[in-house]
Amino acid sequence: MIRVWPGERGSGSVLAVAIIAAVLVLFSLLLPLVAVFSVSQRVVGTADAAALAAADVAVGIRSGSPCEAAATVAVANTARLHGCLVDGSTATVRVTASVLGFEVSAQATAGRPPGESAVHAGRTGGTG
C-alpha cells in the first residue's frame, strides 16, 4: 500500500513547471546567439561573393564599376557594402548586416594572386 503524505500532494506538478521554465529560459538565452551566428555565416558568404563580383569587373570579365557590382551582390543578399577597395585586379570588400541590434561584418579579398600576371593565369603547372 502506498502512503501519501498530505503536504507532498502536487509536488510533481511544481517540479514539472520548474523544469519547463528552466528549458524556456535556456532556449531564450541560446536563440539570440544562434541567430547572430547564422547571420555571421551569411555575411561571410556575402562578402566572398561581393569580392568575387568586384574582382570580375576589375579583371575585365564583366563591365561596369567593381564597387557597384559588389554593392549589388551585397544588397541581393540582404546586407550592405561598408567598404570597397580595388587595387589593380584585386578587390577587397567589407560587408555588414544587422541582427537583433548587433552589427555583423566580414571582409573578403578576391583577385589574382600577388605577382601573377594575366599571361601566367592560364598555366596548369605542367612541365611538358
Side-chain angles (χ1 to χ4, degrees):
M1 168 156 81
I2 299 176
R3 189 169 191 176
V4 178
W5 297 98
E8 293 184 12
R9 226 165 201 196
S11 62
S13 299
V14 173
L15 180 62
V17 168
I19 289 173
I20 291 171
V23 168
L24 288 175
V25 167
L26 183 65
F27 181 74
S28 67
L29 291 175
L30 289 179
L31 186 63
L33 294 175
V34 170
V36 170
F37 179 73
S38 174
V39 170
S40 172
Q41 295 301 306
R42 182 177 50 84
V43 169
V44 168
T46 300
D48 288 341
L52 287 170
D56 282 350
V57 174
V59 170
I61 295 173
R62 297 179 51 201
S63 62
S65 169
C67 292
E68 286 179 12
T72 301
V73 170
V75 168
N77 287 291
T78 64
R80 63 189 173 281
L81 186 66
H82 192 262
C84 178
L85 175 66
V86 179
D87 183 21
S89 62
T90 303
T92 302
V93 299
R94 180 177 271 309
V95 176
T96 60
S98 297
V99 59
L100 301 174
F102 293 102
E103 286 289 321
V104 180
S105 65
Q107 182 173 324
T109 301
R112 289 197 176 101
E116 185 175 318
S117 67
V119 175
H120 295 99
R123 293 182 76 182
T124 60
T127 59

